[in-house]
Amino acid sequence: MRQDQEDPYQRRSAQVYAAADRAGSGSVARPRPILYDAVLLDRDGTLIEDVPYNGDPEKVRPVPGARAALDRLRAAGLRLAVVTNQSGLARGYFTGEQMRAVHARVEELLGRFDAWLVCPHDDADGCDCRKPAPGLVHAAARELGTTASRCVLVGDIGRDVAAALAAGAAGVLVPTPVTRPEEIAAAGWVAADLPAAVAEILRRQQAVQPSDLPTEPVRTALVVRSDSAGDVLVTGPAIRAVAAGAERVVLLCGPRGRAAANLLPGVDEIIEHPLPWIDPTPGPVDPEAVRSLTARLGAVGVDQAVVFTSFHQSALPLALLLRMAGIGRIAAISDDYPGSLLDIRHRVPVGVPEPERALSLAAAAGHRLPDGDEPVLRLRRNAVPPRPADLGDPGYVVLHPGSAASSRACPPELATRIVGALTDAGHRVFVTGGPDERAVTAGVAAAGGTDLGGRTDLAGLAAIVADAGAVVVGNTGPAHLAAAAGVPVVSLFAPTVPFGQWGPYRVPTVRLGDAAAPCRDTRAASCPVPGHPCLSGIDPDEVVDALRTLAVGGGGGR
């Protein structure tokens, strides 16, 4: 029996994505765009020049290139909405009638928008719609008949991006002279101007849709994703895309990713083997082990191989082994010249989220997610065991302080104070960690949480995470488990790697930490700066506030 046969939502079939679904197929409707249905836009500073508290239509001036950029989005079938804070209403600087006249002028100059969502409150009102709260984003998605995760919001300040993340949408920052440097550093996606933001939205949308199907049938596909559990998890949507067009999928992974590979839908067989050019602490190259792997891969009967890597890794050493194993169709991302090692040499700009980066490679190889399968992280339901009954009702907060890379771990002293602040706010807190982290989790949980360190394997941790109200975690595997379960994340994100590539994907998120810390973009496995300043400056009350933003109440409500 197939590993995912019992789950109708994750069942795959070569017939799901047929040639009739392609563009230009006559009366057959095109598949729904994979990434986005709608683009939400801030008003002042993004669409039009920022005139403080403007109630005069004559002062409306579009930013350069706005009309042409918006028309490109409309032509691509994307719906458009404006999401704007207008505290001038609360302060009495202009009336609702004057504001509507301004909006009419905006539409006269820039074309019609499908919806206008306005927050009329001031900061002191404590509403849930004023950005950076996510209320306007959720309201816009409902108005447009979609979900926040299928929206991208373009704005000019950190509040806009924070609102998008807190709703689970993508956020694009287009800086202006009023944008603060720390807001630019914290944004995962930055564009030079509105036309550039639109161009990249459309490029990403197109990149995950194959221009053509393979000319030969794919009976057995080999997909490769070595490295850690988190790396394997973020490749899941791309593996499902390959699985939709192949009869059989074999996954080659390393020992550190095997537990995550066991959880992925669309995989029929797993080959586990360490790759010395990928593992962070590799042993010497063993020629006999390499020969054994080559022989094993040659015996699989592979029609097509798709080699997934992180942005800093090379696919070429493995591609050479695949050629030696007799595999004739190989696709991979490679900035380096591949010679005759690759049939499809794909390239991806810097900054694309890792799941989308992998999806674009799958598309280049002729595969796409079938209609109905959202481009989100997902686990096989029958691979996740029941949650331990002694943990009580769902809705608790999971704090996972550790990480395989110490540079990305939450300092234990900070984690202890976070547990104290969360319990004081009425949250039940479970502290999780691996068997080698029991001393840390016990010390952290002593501040008022429940210690679950070393109690579960990865599948068991997935079960605990799935019933959480939120997960407080750094850039490590449990953040991606949370994303796969649709559980909100308070991301204690060390900026050693880009947040836009490695942040929790398509799940409501609040990012905390110093995004401009000296460790930024170093890819350091251990903290290169004394005192771990990127995370140690977090105030535990910020975590409590983040849960409030994510609508995770004390006592476990969500």
Side-chain angles (χ1 to χ4, degrees):
M1 179 179 291
R2 308 180 53 84
Q3 289 187 12
D4 55 348
Q5 188 171 353
E6 297 178 357
D7 189 343
Y9 294 100
Q10 297 167 3
R11 196 173 292 151
R12 66 177 183 78
S13 167
Q15 284 72 47
V16 171
Y17 177 51
D21 290 326
R22 290 160 50 195
S25 55
S27 61
V28 178
R30 289 183 55 128
R32 183 184 187 187
I34 290 178
L35 294 182
Y36 311 119
D37 291 327
V39 178
L40 316 181
L41 301 116
D42 175 55
R43 194 190 83 174
D44 303 314
T46 302
L47 287 174
I48 59 175
E49 295 178 1
D50 188 1
V51 177
Y53 307 115
N54 182 29
D56 182 359
E58 295 302 316
K59 295 181 179 179
V60 172
R61 299 287 186 275
V63 301
R67 178 62 191 249
L70 296 175
D71 284 346
R72 289 190 67 191
L73 295 173
R74 294 179 179 113
L78 291 162
R79 305 194 72 189
L80 306 182
V82 180
V83 289
T84 178
N85 290 349
Q86 293 297 327
S87 62
L89 285 171
R91 300 180 185 188
Y93 294 155
F94 51 80
T95 66
E97 182 178 352
Q98 289 174 311
M99 182 188 70
R100 287 187 288 274
V102 168
H103 292 174
R105 178 60 174 163
V106 172
E107 290 200 327
E108 181 181 345
L109 295 172
L110 296 180
R112 181 181 175 277
F113 292 89
D114 297 292
W116 287 81
L117 287 300
V118 176
C119 172
H121 307 107
D122 204 351
D123 276 331
D125 293 335
C127 68
D128 64 358
C129 57
R130 183 168 174 79
K131 297 175 289 186
L136 283 186
V137 180
H138 287 302
R142 288 192 297 269
E143 183 78 11
L144 299 177
T146 186
T147 61
S149 66
R150 295 189 65 87
C151 296
V152 55
L153 189 158
V154 184
D156 66 316
I157 59 175
R159 283 179 174 241
D160 299 314
V161 174
L165 293 180
V172 187
L173 184 70
V174 177
T176 69
V178 304
T179 312
R180 298 195 302 269
E182 59 267 29
E183 295 174 334
I184 299 173
W189 181 352
V190 180
D193 52 29
L194 180 59
V198 167
E200 179 62 7
I201 289 169
L202 295 176
R203 191 206 64 77
R204 292 189 185 189
Q205 185 92 309
Q206 184 62 34
V208 297
Q209 309 207 45
S211 58
D212 207 348
L213 295 173
T215 56
E216 301 177 25
V218 180
R219 293 178 295 274
T220 296
L222 174 72
V223 293
V224 181
R225 190 61 176 95
S226 193
D227 223 328
S228 67
D231 298 291
V232 173
L233 291 173
V234 299
T235 313
I239 292 174
R240 299 200 309 270
V242 174
E247 297 175 10
R248 174 174 171 246
V249 170
V250 178
L251 170 61
L252 170 63
C253 68
R256 296 186 303 128
R258 175 60 186 261
N262 291 336
L263 302 177
L264 290 185
V267 176
D268 299 292
E269 181 182 340
I270 297 172
I271 297 175
E272 177 186 326
H273 197 284
L275 301 181
W277 55 90
I278 297 290
D279 285 358
T281 56
V285 174
D286 181 348
E288 183 56 38
V290 173
R291 283 191 289 268
S292 175
L293 175 61
T294 304
R296 187 173 183 187
L297 294 173
V300 171
V302 174
D303 299 301
Q304 181 189 58
V306 185
V307 182
F308 298 105
T309 52
S310 291
F311 71 103
H312 60 278
Q313 296 170 341
S314 173
L316 298 186
L318 182 63
L320 176 60
L321 297 190
L322 296 177
R323 284 289 193 237
M324 294 175 66
I327 296 173
R329 294 159 61 190
I330 305 173
I333 296 172
S334 182
D335 289 327
D336 296 326
Y337 172 63
S340 59
L341 297 182
L342 299 178
D343 300 283
I344 297 174
R345 177 195 185 188
H346 186 54
R347 294 185 179 183
V348 182
V350 173
V352 176
E354 288 287 319
E356 292 178 24
R357 185 176 185 274
L359 270 173
S360 74
L361 174 58
H367 305 287
R368 60 162 281 151
L369 286 170
D371 285 352
D373 189 355
E374 294 291 306
V376 296
L377 308 192
R378 184 171 293 150
L379 307 180
R380 289 189 297 112
R381 296 175 186 171
N382 60 0
V384 178
R387 179 171 57 90
D390 62 345
L391 298 187
D393 294 332
Y396 42 79
V397 174
V398 169
L399 172 62
H400 190 92
S403 171
S406 61
S407 62
R408 296 187 264 118
C410 179
E413 184 274 336
L414 172 61
T416 302
R417 292 192 293 124
I418 290 174
V419 169
L422 292 177
T423 54
D424 287 347
H427 294 280
R428 288 181 295 134
V429 183
F430 295 153
V431 182
T432 58
D436 59 341
E437 297 171 323
R438 285 174 175 163
V440 172
T441 60
V444 170
T450 299
D451 180 18
L452 300 182
R455 181 168 166 175
T456 68
D457 58 10
L458 189 69
L461 179 58
I464 293 170
V465 165
D467 277 342
V471 177
V472 183
V473 63
N475 175 27
T476 189
H480 305 304
L481 288 179
V487 173
V489 176
V490 179
S491 179
L492 313 178
F493 196 92
T496 54
V497 293
F499 180 79
Q501 290 183 232
W502 287 104
Y505 187 64
R506 290 196 170 221
V507 66
T509 300
V510 173
R511 178 186 183 175
L512 299 178
D514 181 3
C519 65
R520 181 180 174 93
D521 294 335
T522 62
R523 300 208 308 265
S526 57
C527 184
V529 184
H532 211 139
C534 66
L535 298 182
S536 60
I538 294 172
D539 186 332
D541 287 339
E542 293 181 82
V543 179
V544 176
D545 291 341
L547 292 177
R548 194 173 297 117
T549 296
L550 295 170
V552 180
R558 173 155 71 100

